[in-house]
Amino acid sequence: MPEPLLSIRDLVVEFKTDDGIVHAVDGISYDVMPGETLGIVGESGSGKSVSTLALLGLIPQPPGRIVSGTAMFKGRDLLKLKKKEQRAFRGKEVAMVFQDPMTSLNPVLKVGYQLGEAIKTHFPDEKDEAIRARVIELLRLVGVPNPDTRADQYPHEFSGGMRQRAMIAMAIANSPSLLIADEPTTALDVTIQAQVLEVMKTVQTETHAATILITHDLGIVAEMCDRVLVMYGGKIVEAGDVYTIFKAPRHPYTIGLMNSLPKLTEDEEWLEPIPGAPPSLINRPPGCAFHPRCFLSQGRDRCRADVPELRMVGDGHYAACHFSEELVDFKSKFAEAVPA
Amino acid sequence: MLTYIARRILYSIPVLFVSTFLSFMFVSLAGDPRQNLLANPKLSHAHYKALFHTYHLDVSIPVRYWYWLQDVFEHKLGSSLLTSQPIWPDITRAMGHTLQVIGIAEIIAITLGVAVGIFSAVKQYSIFDYLFTTVSFLGYAMPTFWLALLLQILFTDIYLSYNVRIFYTSGLNSGVTSNTWSLDRLQHIALPVATLAIISFAVYSRYMRASMLDVISTDYIRTARAKGLPERLVIMRHVFRNALIPVVTVAALNIGGLLGGAIITETIFSLDGMGYYFIQKLGQLDVYAVMAYLAITSLFIIIFNLIADVVYGYLDPRIRYD
Ligand SMILES: Nc1ncnc2c1ncn2[C@@H]1O[C@H](COP(=O)(O)OP(=O)(O)OP(=O)(O)O)[C@@H](O)[C@H]1O
Ligand code: SF4
Ligand SMILES: [Mg+2]
């Protein structure tokens, strides 16, 4: 087994709000291997963003608080770093691409300047011409046409897709070993989404960075990822390699997500959304947070009383469901599409 | 940019004509200057008929406005109906004094307001923040006349009790005249400057703080932090300039208005400035002096609106001038 690049254990993040404490991330653990692409999926509010923002110390504190946990990265615990050490990691070892490219660039500074700043911050002695050359090279790599002129333009002169390319270029400027992309395509048109995903792939082959790709689109996971974590109510409910999970999911929530996804090969009469709404993170349902919406539970007491642990259900495959074994023979509607 | 400024100036011309015409009409309707002449028993009927004619008081208001305009351009704002004195020397002297007082007060208020706004936002909910929040709210809540009187009483008392003269509480000079930048002048204008500066400071520091907090929570500041940029640079490079944009507009409009004279402050400190001039001439119903004042203040407001827009465009590249 190779050493994981990032190893998160028991991460707990809370937010203090007027309505009570929001348990945004509730004891999650996972590893990221060097060079792999790990998908994190889950409904809105399941804690996907917060769990990764915590790694970079970007949780607004207050109201947020990292209650416990470790995040070992190259022998250091990212959560215990001093402010200054943390900054040395940000944008150099661990870089991030955010969801909304329309608001993620500073409107009053030129795009080239903002990219160059990412380099200059970590290499203050670098000459301005060298930085500029690198910025243009980066813009070219992510497919921004006329990078020389584009570098001198302001963000409002870029389209959404072009801005997201620039954000990706900024993230890989210092060849980080971990790239976190938080819904990088959600805010874009479908055709632009595909292009930006292509850019993500190019960038991965170019930099060999491990990637955490946050999305609520299982289609993107299928296309991009090696492994996937499914989050629900601040917890990981299922984890495994993409093929296994698409073929034989072992958590009712994952099955629900798949049933709500169209299968492009056939005309489907209807898609089945998961009934009910995501759980409150302030007054969490007792036992399994998914039980009010679960088709498998059928009102069994155990689901309402005990919190299911994430346990191994197959080779590198984990699920947090008391009755996961009852799903052993379940074949997802994508089963035939998955290569053996 | 230059064509934009030129076009804005061209647009301002009709605005100025309309606004002066309206004020001319209202001022003329508010008090008939003929009453002043009629009240003088030494004038015979024929005499004041002749006077009305020379001063065009016997024609309709629009025609009188036309004569007034000619006077404004040919004789530098014309002369007073009451005293026959030319208006220009009086009003420019008052203008100079107002410029000095407002200029100093606003420079202090902007510098301190912006600095305190930045610190309050960066150290939100600190003792510093609470302290200046309190100071700003006091500055907001205190009526100008009350603050001015308070300062005046305080320094009069100090003088009477200890016989030391730190600041004068009225007028501009101890002698008949004084140098614009003499110590004597500064001792005279310190209190009106302080009054105006405190009130403007309250506004600017609050605006700057709110604006900084708005910007600090934006996505692009998170991006800047995610780069590993030190917090000091995040604030100075990324937050500051964006936060300044709305403050610039407020400041420019505020200054444009104040240059018309801080009427209350100047009156309390008997300061020979624009506001004081206006109040006196209005009291005497000196139509043309009041009109000259209104024309000049309209001009200032138009100019500072233009300055606000130009600076705005300079700070924010999204604003296009074409
Ligand atoms: N600054 C904050 N203050 C209070 N609560 C917060 C804050 N940031 C996040 N939360 C809460 O934490 C929970 C998890 O949020 P998070 O952004 O991680 O969700 P997500 O899975 O990324 O959702 P989305 O798909 O909408 O991006 C949410 O319930 C949210 O309300
Ligand atoms: S533990 Fe119970 S409620 Fe939770 S997913 Fe499994 S069956 Fe459903
Ligand atoms: Mg999110």
Side-chain angles (χ1 to χ4, degrees), chain A residues 53 56 58 87 90-91 94 96 98 100 103-109 113-115 117-118 121-122 154 156 167 170, chain B residues 125 218-231 233 237-239 241-242 245 315-320:
Chain A
L53 286 171
L56 286 176
L58 289 176
R87 280 204 303 269
R90 286 183 193 166
V94 185
M96 199 146 179
F98 296 102
D100 191 350
T103 57
S104 292
L105 286 162
N106 188 331
V108 306
L109 297 172
Y113 177 85
Q114 297 189 56
L115 261 68
E117 193 181 39
T121 302
H122 297 285
Y154 290 97
H156 71 270
M167 288 298 294
M170 188 189 295
Chain B
Y125 304 133
T218 57
D219 287 352
Y220 58 85
I221 295 307
R222 186 178 58 186
T223 306
R225 289 188 175 136
K227 281 180 198 175
L229 210 58
E231 191 61 16
L233 290 181
R237 241 185 234 165
H238 290 264
V239 183
R241 187 165 158 197
N242 282 287
I245 295 172
L315 288 174
D316 189 345
R318 284 167 297 186
I319 310 289
R320 302 285 315 143

Short mmCIF file of all heavy atoms in Angstrom, two decimals, chain A residues 53 56 58 87 90-91 94 96 98 100 103-109 113-115 117-118 121-122 154 156 167 170, chain B residues 125 218-231 233 237-239 241-242 245 315-320:
data_model
loop_
_atom_site.label_atom_id
_atom_site.label_comp_id
_atom_site.label_asym_id
_atom_site.label_seq_id
_atom_site.Cartn_x
_atom_site.Cartn_y
_atom_site.Cartn_z
N LEU A 53 -12.75 23.07 3.17
CA LEU A 53 -12.30 24.41 3.56
C LEU A 53 -11.52 24.33 4.88
O LEU A 53 -10.56 25.08 5.09
CB LEU A 53 -13.49 25.36 3.72
CG LEU A 53 -14.14 25.83 2.41
CD1 LEU A 53 -15.43 26.59 2.71
CD2 LEU A 53 -13.19 26.71 1.61
N LEU A 56 -7.74 24.05 4.67
CA LEU A 56 -6.94 25.22 4.34
C LEU A 56 -7.10 26.32 5.39
O LEU A 56 -6.60 27.42 5.22
CB LEU A 56 -7.36 25.77 2.97
CG LEU A 56 -6.88 24.95 1.78
CD1 LEU A 56 -7.41 25.52 0.49
CD2 LEU A 56 -5.36 24.93 1.74
N LEU A 58 -9.86 27.85 6.01
CA LEU A 58 -10.68 28.89 5.39
C LEU A 58 -12.10 28.91 5.95
O LEU A 58 -12.98 29.55 5.39
CB LEU A 58 -10.72 28.71 3.88
CG LEU A 58 -9.41 29.02 3.15
CD1 LEU A 58 -9.53 28.72 1.66
CD2 LEU A 58 -9.00 30.46 3.35
N ARG A 87 -0.30 29.36 5.78
CA ARG A 87 -0.22 30.15 4.54
C ARG A 87 0.78 29.56 3.58
O ARG A 87 0.60 29.62 2.36
CB ARG A 87 0.14 31.60 4.86
CG ARG A 87 -1.02 32.41 5.34
CD ARG A 87 -0.77 33.88 5.09
NE ARG A 87 0.46 34.34 5.71
CZ ARG A 87 0.53 34.84 6.94
NH1 ARG A 87 -0.56 34.93 7.67
NH2 ARG A 87 1.68 35.23 7.44
N ARG A 90 -1.11 26.84 1.80
CA ARG A 90 -2.20 27.31 0.93
C ARG A 90 -1.66 27.77 -0.41
O ARG A 90 -0.74 28.59 -0.47
CB ARG A 90 -2.88 28.53 1.53
CG ARG A 90 -3.75 28.26 2.69
CD ARG A 90 -4.37 29.59 3.07
NE ARG A 90 -4.99 29.52 4.38
CZ ARG A 90 -5.37 30.60 5.07
NH1 ARG A 90 -5.15 31.80 4.57
NH2 ARG A 90 -5.95 30.47 6.23
N GLY A 91 -2.25 27.27 -1.47
CA GLY A 91 -1.87 27.74 -2.80
C GLY A 91 -0.55 27.18 -3.27
O GLY A 91 -0.17 27.38 -4.41
N VAL A 94 -1.45 22.79 -1.32
CA VAL A 94 -2.87 22.49 -1.46
C VAL A 94 -3.54 23.70 -2.10
O VAL A 94 -3.45 24.81 -1.57
CB VAL A 94 -3.53 22.22 -0.09
CG1 VAL A 94 -4.98 21.80 -0.28
CG2 VAL A 94 -2.76 21.18 0.69
N MET A 96 -7.03 25.42 -4.35
CA MET A 96 -8.47 25.22 -4.41
C MET A 96 -9.09 25.96 -5.60
O MET A 96 -8.70 27.09 -5.91
CB MET A 96 -9.07 25.75 -3.11
CG MET A 96 -10.45 25.22 -2.85
SD MET A 96 -10.71 24.98 -1.08
CE MET A 96 -12.39 24.40 -1.13
N PHE A 98 -12.87 27.23 -6.77
CA PHE A 98 -14.18 27.39 -6.13
C PHE A 98 -15.32 27.29 -7.14
O PHE A 98 -15.13 27.33 -8.35
CB PHE A 98 -14.24 28.73 -5.40
CG PHE A 98 -13.27 28.81 -4.27
CD1 PHE A 98 -12.07 29.51 -4.41
CD2 PHE A 98 -13.53 28.17 -3.07
CE1 PHE A 98 -11.16 29.58 -3.37
CE2 PHE A 98 -12.62 28.23 -2.03
CZ PHE A 98 -11.44 28.94 -2.17
N ASP A 100 -18.06 29.33 -7.85
CA ASP A 100 -18.63 30.37 -8.70
C ASP A 100 -17.54 31.26 -9.31
O ASP A 100 -17.03 32.16 -8.65
CB ASP A 100 -19.60 31.23 -7.88
CG ASP A 100 -20.41 32.14 -8.78
OD1 ASP A 100 -20.08 32.24 -9.97
OD2 ASP A 100 -21.36 32.75 -8.27
N THR A 103 -17.74 35.21 -9.15
CA THR A 103 -17.45 36.02 -7.96
C THR A 103 -16.11 35.68 -7.32
O THR A 103 -15.74 36.27 -6.32
CB THR A 103 -18.55 35.80 -6.89
OG1 THR A 103 -18.63 34.41 -6.61
CG2 THR A 103 -19.90 36.28 -7.38
N SER A 104 -15.39 34.72 -7.90
CA SER A 104 -14.17 34.27 -7.22
C SER A 104 -12.91 35.03 -7.62
O SER A 104 -11.84 34.78 -7.08
CB SER A 104 -13.96 32.78 -7.47
OG SER A 104 -14.95 32.05 -6.81
N LEU A 105 -13.04 35.93 -8.59
CA LEU A 105 -11.88 36.75 -8.96
C LEU A 105 -12.16 38.19 -8.54
O LEU A 105 -13.29 38.67 -8.63
CB LEU A 105 -11.65 36.69 -10.48
CG LEU A 105 -11.04 35.38 -11.00
CD1 LEU A 105 -11.26 35.24 -12.49
CD2 LEU A 105 -9.56 35.32 -10.68
N ASN A 106 -11.11 38.87 -8.10
CA ASN A 106 -11.26 40.25 -7.66
C ASN A 106 -11.57 41.15 -8.87
O ASN A 106 -10.78 41.22 -9.81
CB ASN A 106 -9.95 40.70 -6.99
CG ASN A 106 -10.09 42.05 -6.33
OD1 ASN A 106 -10.89 42.88 -6.76
ND2 ASN A 106 -9.32 42.27 -5.29
N PRO A 107 -12.72 41.84 -8.84
CA PRO A 107 -13.14 42.60 -10.02
C PRO A 107 -12.24 43.78 -10.38
O PRO A 107 -12.26 44.23 -11.51
CB PRO A 107 -14.54 43.09 -9.64
CG PRO A 107 -14.58 43.06 -8.15
CD PRO A 107 -13.71 41.91 -7.75
N VAL A 108 -11.44 44.27 -9.44
CA VAL A 108 -10.66 45.48 -9.75
C VAL A 108 -9.20 45.18 -10.10
O VAL A 108 -8.43 46.11 -10.33
CB VAL A 108 -10.73 46.53 -8.61
CG1 VAL A 108 -12.17 46.84 -8.25
CG2 VAL A 108 -9.97 46.08 -7.38
N LEU A 109 -8.82 43.92 -10.13
CA LEU A 109 -7.44 43.60 -10.48
C LEU A 109 -7.40 42.76 -11.75
O LEU A 109 -8.27 41.92 -11.98
CB LEU A 109 -6.76 42.83 -9.34
CG LEU A 109 -6.64 43.59 -8.02
CD1 LEU A 109 -6.13 42.67 -6.91
CD2 LEU A 109 -5.71 44.79 -8.16
N TYR A 113 -2.49 39.66 -13.19
CA TYR A 113 -1.92 40.07 -11.91
C TYR A 113 -2.33 39.09 -10.81
O TYR A 113 -1.52 38.69 -9.98
CB TYR A 113 -2.39 41.48 -11.56
CG TYR A 113 -1.91 41.93 -10.20
CD1 TYR A 113 -0.65 42.50 -10.04
CD2 TYR A 113 -2.70 41.75 -9.07
CE1 TYR A 113 -0.19 42.88 -8.79
CE2 TYR A 113 -2.26 42.13 -7.82
CZ TYR A 113 -1.01 42.69 -7.68
OH TYR A 113 -0.56 43.06 -6.45
N GLN A 114 -3.61 38.72 -10.83
CA GLN A 114 -4.10 37.82 -9.77
C GLN A 114 -3.45 36.45 -9.85
O GLN A 114 -3.20 35.81 -8.83
CB GLN A 114 -5.63 37.70 -9.85
CG GLN A 114 -6.31 39.04 -9.61
CD GLN A 114 -7.82 38.91 -9.48
OE1 GLN A 114 -8.32 38.17 -8.65
NE2 GLN A 114 -8.55 39.66 -10.29
N LEU A 115 -3.16 36.01 -11.08
CA LEU A 115 -2.45 34.74 -11.24
C LEU A 115 -1.01 34.87 -10.77
O LEU A 115 -0.49 34.02 -10.04
CB LEU A 115 -2.49 34.28 -12.70
CG LEU A 115 -3.54 33.24 -13.06
CD1 LEU A 115 -4.92 33.84 -12.96
CD2 LEU A 115 -3.30 32.70 -14.46
N GLU A 117 0.18 36.86 -8.69
CA GLU A 117 0.24 37.01 -7.24
C GLU A 117 0.34 35.65 -6.54
O GLU A 117 1.01 35.51 -5.52
CB GLU A 117 -1.02 37.74 -6.78
CG GLU A 117 -0.97 38.24 -5.38
CD GLU A 117 -2.26 38.93 -4.99
OE1 GLU A 117 -3.34 38.47 -5.39
OE2 GLU A 117 -2.18 39.95 -4.29
N ALA A 118 -0.35 34.65 -7.13
CA ALA A 118 -0.32 33.31 -6.53
C ALA A 118 1.12 32.78 -6.53
O ALA A 118 1.53 32.09 -5.60
CB ALA A 118 -1.24 32.36 -7.30
N THR A 121 3.54 35.16 -4.15
CA THR A 121 3.35 34.94 -2.71
C THR A 121 4.29 33.87 -2.18
O THR A 121 4.84 34.00 -1.10
CB THR A 121 1.89 34.51 -2.46
OG1 THR A 121 1.04 35.52 -2.96
CG2 THR A 121 1.62 34.32 -0.98
N HIS A 122 4.51 32.83 -2.99
CA HIS A 122 5.35 31.73 -2.51
C HIS A 122 6.79 31.82 -3.01
O HIS A 122 7.67 31.18 -2.47
CB HIS A 122 4.71 30.40 -2.90
CG HIS A 122 3.37 30.21 -2.25
ND1 HIS A 122 3.23 29.88 -0.94
CD2 HIS A 122 2.11 30.38 -2.73
CE1 HIS A 122 1.95 29.83 -0.62
NE2 HIS A 122 1.25 30.13 -1.69
N TYR A 154 -9.50 42.50 -17.28
CA TYR A 154 -10.14 42.35 -15.98
C TYR A 154 -11.13 41.18 -16.02
O TYR A 154 -11.61 40.82 -17.10
CB TYR A 154 -10.87 43.64 -15.61
CG TYR A 154 -9.92 44.77 -15.30
CD1 TYR A 154 -9.58 45.71 -16.27
CD2 TYR A 154 -9.33 44.86 -14.04
CE1 TYR A 154 -8.69 46.73 -15.98
CE2 TYR A 154 -8.44 45.88 -13.75
CZ TYR A 154 -8.12 46.81 -14.72
OH TYR A 154 -7.24 47.80 -14.43
N HIS A 156 -14.22 40.94 -15.55
CA HIS A 156 -15.52 41.14 -16.21
C HIS A 156 -15.42 41.02 -17.73
O HIS A 156 -16.43 40.93 -18.41
CB HIS A 156 -16.14 42.48 -15.83
CG HIS A 156 -15.45 43.67 -16.42
ND1 HIS A 156 -14.40 44.32 -15.79
CD2 HIS A 156 -15.64 44.33 -17.58
CE1 HIS A 156 -14.00 45.31 -16.54
NE2 HIS A 156 -14.72 45.35 -17.63
N MET A 167 -9.20 30.39 -13.00
CA MET A 167 -9.12 29.93 -11.60
C MET A 167 -8.33 28.63 -11.50
O MET A 167 -7.56 28.43 -10.56
CB MET A 167 -10.54 29.70 -11.04
CG MET A 167 -11.33 30.96 -10.77
SD MET A 167 -10.57 32.03 -9.53
CE MET A 167 -10.72 31.01 -8.06
N MET A 170 -4.76 29.41 -11.84
CA MET A 170 -4.24 29.98 -10.59
C MET A 170 -3.96 28.87 -9.59
O MET A 170 -2.95 28.87 -8.89
CB MET A 170 -5.28 30.95 -10.03
CG MET A 170 -4.77 31.74 -8.84
SD MET A 170 -6.09 32.68 -8.04
CE MET A 170 -6.54 33.81 -9.31
N TYR B 125 -15.64 43.54 16.50
CA TYR B 125 -16.04 43.17 17.86
C TYR B 125 -14.91 43.28 18.87
O TYR B 125 -15.00 42.75 19.97
CB TYR B 125 -16.63 41.74 17.91
CG TYR B 125 -17.78 41.55 16.97
CD1 TYR B 125 -17.85 40.44 16.14
CD2 TYR B 125 -18.80 42.51 16.88
CE1 TYR B 125 -18.90 40.28 15.25
CE2 TYR B 125 -19.85 42.35 16.00
CZ TYR B 125 -19.89 41.24 15.19
OH TYR B 125 -20.92 41.07 14.31
N THR B 218 -16.58 38.30 0.71
CA THR B 218 -16.85 37.89 -0.67
C THR B 218 -15.99 36.68 -1.06
O THR B 218 -15.00 36.37 -0.40
CB THR B 218 -16.52 39.01 -1.68
OG1 THR B 218 -15.15 39.37 -1.49
CG2 THR B 218 -17.41 40.21 -1.47
N ASP B 219 -16.39 36.04 -2.14
CA ASP B 219 -15.66 34.88 -2.63
C ASP B 219 -14.24 35.23 -3.04
O ASP B 219 -13.32 34.45 -2.83
CB ASP B 219 -16.39 34.28 -3.85
CG ASP B 219 -17.66 33.56 -3.46
OD1 ASP B 219 -17.88 33.39 -2.24
OD2 ASP B 219 -18.43 33.17 -4.36
N TYR B 220 -14.05 36.41 -3.65
CA TYR B 220 -12.69 36.68 -4.15
C TYR B 220 -11.70 36.94 -3.04
O TYR B 220 -10.50 36.78 -3.22
CB TYR B 220 -12.68 37.80 -5.20
CG TYR B 220 -13.22 39.12 -4.79
CD1 TYR B 220 -12.43 40.05 -4.13
CD2 TYR B 220 -14.53 39.48 -5.10
CE1 TYR B 220 -12.93 41.28 -3.78
CE2 TYR B 220 -15.04 40.71 -4.75
CZ TYR B 220 -14.24 41.61 -4.08
OH TYR B 220 -14.72 42.84 -3.73
N ILE B 221 -12.19 37.31 -1.86
CA ILE B 221 -11.28 37.43 -0.72
C ILE B 221 -10.90 36.04 -0.23
O ILE B 221 -9.75 35.78 0.14
CB ILE B 221 -11.92 38.29 0.39
CG1 ILE B 221 -12.12 39.71 -0.12
CG2 ILE B 221 -11.06 38.28 1.66
CD1 ILE B 221 -10.88 40.37 -0.69
N ARG B 222 -11.86 35.12 -0.27
CA ARG B 222 -11.53 33.74 0.06
C ARG B 222 -10.48 33.21 -0.92
O ARG B 222 -9.52 32.54 -0.53
CB ARG B 222 -12.80 32.89 0.00
CG ARG B 222 -12.58 31.46 0.47
CD ARG B 222 -13.87 30.67 0.44
NE ARG B 222 -14.43 30.65 -0.91
CZ ARG B 222 -15.61 30.13 -1.22
NH1 ARG B 222 -16.36 29.61 -0.29
NH2 ARG B 222 -16.05 30.16 -2.46
N THR B 223 -10.63 33.56 -2.20
CA THR B 223 -9.62 33.16 -3.19
C THR B 223 -8.26 33.71 -2.83
O THR B 223 -7.26 33.00 -2.86
CB THR B 223 -10.02 33.67 -4.60
OG1 THR B 223 -11.32 33.22 -4.90
CG2 THR B 223 -9.04 33.17 -5.65
N ALA B 224 -8.23 35.00 -2.47
CA ALA B 224 -6.95 35.62 -2.13
C ALA B 224 -6.31 34.92 -0.94
O ALA B 224 -5.10 34.68 -0.91
CB ALA B 224 -7.15 37.10 -1.82
N ARG B 225 -7.13 34.55 0.04
CA ARG B 225 -6.58 33.84 1.20
C ARG B 225 -6.12 32.45 0.81
O ARG B 225 -5.09 31.97 1.29
CB ARG B 225 -7.64 33.74 2.29
CG ARG B 225 -7.90 35.07 2.94
CD ARG B 225 -8.81 34.90 4.14
NE ARG B 225 -8.96 36.16 4.82
CZ ARG B 225 -10.12 36.63 5.26
NH1 ARG B 225 -11.23 35.92 5.10
NH2 ARG B 225 -10.18 37.79 5.87
N ALA B 226 -6.88 31.80 -0.09
CA ALA B 226 -6.52 30.44 -0.50
C ALA B 226 -5.19 30.41 -1.24
O ALA B 226 -4.56 29.37 -1.36
CB ALA B 226 -7.63 29.84 -1.36
N LYS B 227 -4.76 31.55 -1.77
CA LYS B 227 -3.45 31.63 -2.42
C LYS B 227 -2.32 31.57 -1.42
O LYS B 227 -1.17 31.41 -1.80
CB LYS B 227 -3.30 32.98 -3.12
CG LYS B 227 -3.98 33.14 -4.41
CD LYS B 227 -3.68 34.55 -4.91
CE LYS B 227 -4.66 34.94 -5.97
NZ LYS B 227 -4.48 36.34 -6.39
N GLY B 228 -2.64 31.82 -0.16
CA GLY B 228 -1.59 31.89 0.84
C GLY B 228 -1.10 33.31 1.08
O GLY B 228 -0.09 33.53 1.73
N LEU B 229 -1.83 34.27 0.58
CA LEU B 229 -1.44 35.66 0.75
C LEU B 229 -1.53 36.06 2.23
O LEU B 229 -2.51 35.72 2.88
CB LEU B 229 -2.40 36.52 -0.08
CG LEU B 229 -1.90 37.83 -0.66
CD1 LEU B 229 -0.71 37.61 -1.55
CD2 LEU B 229 -3.03 38.49 -1.45
N PRO B 230 -0.53 36.76 2.75
CA PRO B 230 -0.62 37.21 4.15
C PRO B 230 -1.84 38.12 4.34
O PRO B 230 -2.20 38.88 3.44
CB PRO B 230 0.66 38.00 4.37
CG PRO B 230 1.57 37.59 3.28
CD PRO B 230 0.74 37.14 2.14
N GLU B 231 -2.45 38.04 5.50
CA GLU B 231 -3.69 38.76 5.77
C GLU B 231 -3.55 40.27 5.52
O GLU B 231 -4.45 40.91 5.00
CB GLU B 231 -4.13 38.49 7.20
CG GLU B 231 -5.54 38.96 7.54
CD GLU B 231 -6.64 38.30 6.71
OE1 GLU B 231 -6.39 37.26 6.08
OE2 GLU B 231 -7.76 38.84 6.71
N LEU B 233 -1.77 41.77 3.28
CA LEU B 233 -1.90 42.05 1.85
C LEU B 233 -3.31 41.79 1.36
O LEU B 233 -3.80 42.47 0.45
CB LEU B 233 -0.90 41.22 1.05
CG LEU B 233 0.57 41.62 1.22
CD1 LEU B 233 1.46 40.73 0.37
CD2 LEU B 233 0.76 43.08 0.81
N ARG B 237 -4.51 45.02 -0.41
CA ARG B 237 -4.56 44.91 -1.86
C ARG B 237 -5.96 44.57 -2.37
O ARG B 237 -6.41 45.07 -3.38
CB ARG B 237 -3.62 43.80 -2.30
CG ARG B 237 -2.52 44.28 -3.20
CD ARG B 237 -1.74 43.07 -3.66
NE ARG B 237 -0.34 43.24 -3.35
CZ ARG B 237 0.52 42.23 -3.37
NH1 ARG B 237 0.12 41.00 -3.63
NH2 ARG B 237 1.78 42.45 -3.11
N HIS B 238 -6.60 43.65 -1.68
CA HIS B 238 -7.85 43.12 -2.23
C HIS B 238 -9.09 43.75 -1.61
O HIS B 238 -10.04 44.05 -2.31
CB HIS B 238 -7.90 41.59 -2.07
CG HIS B 238 -6.92 40.89 -2.97
ND1 HIS B 238 -7.28 40.36 -4.18
CD2 HIS B 238 -5.60 40.65 -2.84
CE1 HIS B 238 -6.22 39.81 -4.76
NE2 HIS B 238 -5.19 39.98 -3.95
N VAL B 239 -9.07 43.93 -0.29
CA VAL B 239 -10.28 44.44 0.35
C VAL B 239 -10.36 45.96 0.21
O VAL B 239 -11.39 46.50 -0.20
CB VAL B 239 -10.33 44.06 1.85
CG1 VAL B 239 -11.63 44.54 2.47
CG2 VAL B 239 -10.19 42.56 2.02
N ARG B 241 -9.30 48.46 -1.75
CA ARG B 241 -9.71 49.19 -2.94
C ARG B 241 -11.19 48.97 -3.28
O ARG B 241 -11.91 49.90 -3.64
CB ARG B 241 -8.84 48.77 -4.12
CG ARG B 241 -9.11 49.61 -5.32
CD ARG B 241 -8.04 49.48 -6.35
NE ARG B 241 -8.59 49.89 -7.64
CZ ARG B 241 -8.03 49.59 -8.78
NH1 ARG B 241 -6.93 48.88 -8.83
NH2 ARG B 241 -8.59 49.99 -9.90
N ASN B 242 -11.64 47.74 -3.11
CA ASN B 242 -13.05 47.47 -3.37
C ASN B 242 -13.95 48.16 -2.35
O ASN B 242 -15.03 48.63 -2.68
CB ASN B 242 -13.31 45.96 -3.34
CG ASN B 242 -12.86 45.27 -4.61
OD1 ASN B 242 -13.49 45.42 -5.65
ND2 ASN B 242 -11.74 44.58 -4.56
N ILE B 245 -14.72 52.03 -2.91
CA ILE B 245 -15.58 52.51 -4.00
C ILE B 245 -16.84 53.22 -3.50
O ILE B 245 -17.06 54.38 -3.86
CB ILE B 245 -15.90 51.35 -4.98
CG1 ILE B 245 -14.61 50.88 -5.65
CG2 ILE B 245 -16.92 51.78 -6.03
CD1 ILE B 245 -14.76 49.62 -6.49
N LEU B 315 -11.54 53.62 -9.85
CA LEU B 315 -11.38 52.52 -8.89
C LEU B 315 -12.00 51.22 -9.40
O LEU B 315 -11.56 50.14 -9.05
CB LEU B 315 -12.04 52.89 -7.55
CG LEU B 315 -11.32 53.94 -6.71
CD1 LEU B 315 -12.17 54.32 -5.51
CD2 LEU B 315 -9.97 53.42 -6.25
N ASP B 316 -13.04 51.33 -10.18
CA ASP B 316 -13.75 50.13 -10.61
C ASP B 316 -13.71 49.97 -12.12
O ASP B 316 -14.42 50.66 -12.84
CB ASP B 316 -15.21 50.20 -10.13
CG ASP B 316 -15.92 48.88 -10.36
OD1 ASP B 316 -15.39 48.04 -11.12
OD2 ASP B 316 -17.00 48.70 -9.78
N PRO B 317 -12.87 49.04 -12.60
CA PRO B 317 -12.72 48.91 -14.05
C PRO B 317 -13.98 48.42 -14.75
O PRO B 317 -14.05 48.46 -15.98
CB PRO B 317 -11.60 47.87 -14.18
CG PRO B 317 -11.61 47.12 -12.90
CD PRO B 317 -12.06 48.09 -11.86
N ARG B 318 -14.98 47.94 -14.00
CA ARG B 318 -16.20 47.48 -14.64
C ARG B 318 -17.02 48.63 -15.19
O ARG B 318 -17.87 48.45 -16.05
CB ARG B 318 -17.06 46.69 -13.65
CG ARG B 318 -16.54 45.30 -13.40
CD ARG B 318 -17.21 44.69 -12.21
NE ARG B 318 -16.91 45.46 -11.00
CZ ARG B 318 -17.27 45.09 -9.78
NH1 ARG B 318 -17.95 44.01 -9.61
NH2 ARG B 318 -16.94 45.82 -8.74
N ILE B 319 -16.78 49.83 -14.67
CA ILE B 319 -17.52 51.00 -15.16
C ILE B 319 -16.89 51.44 -16.47
O ILE B 319 -15.70 51.70 -16.54
CB ILE B 319 -17.44 52.16 -14.14
CG1 ILE B 319 -17.79 51.70 -12.75
CG2 ILE B 319 -18.29 53.34 -14.59
CD1 ILE B 319 -19.22 51.39 -12.54
N ARG B 320 -17.71 51.48 -17.51
CA ARG B 320 -17.19 51.90 -18.81
C ARG B 320 -17.74 53.28 -19.15
O ARG B 320 -18.92 53.55 -18.97
CB ARG B 320 -17.62 50.92 -19.90
CG ARG B 320 -17.19 49.50 -19.66
CD ARG B 320 -15.72 49.24 -19.92
NE ARG B 320 -15.28 49.84 -21.16
CZ ARG B 320 -14.09 50.39 -21.31
NH1 ARG B 320 -13.26 50.46 -20.31
NH2 ARG B 320 -13.75 50.89 -22.47
#
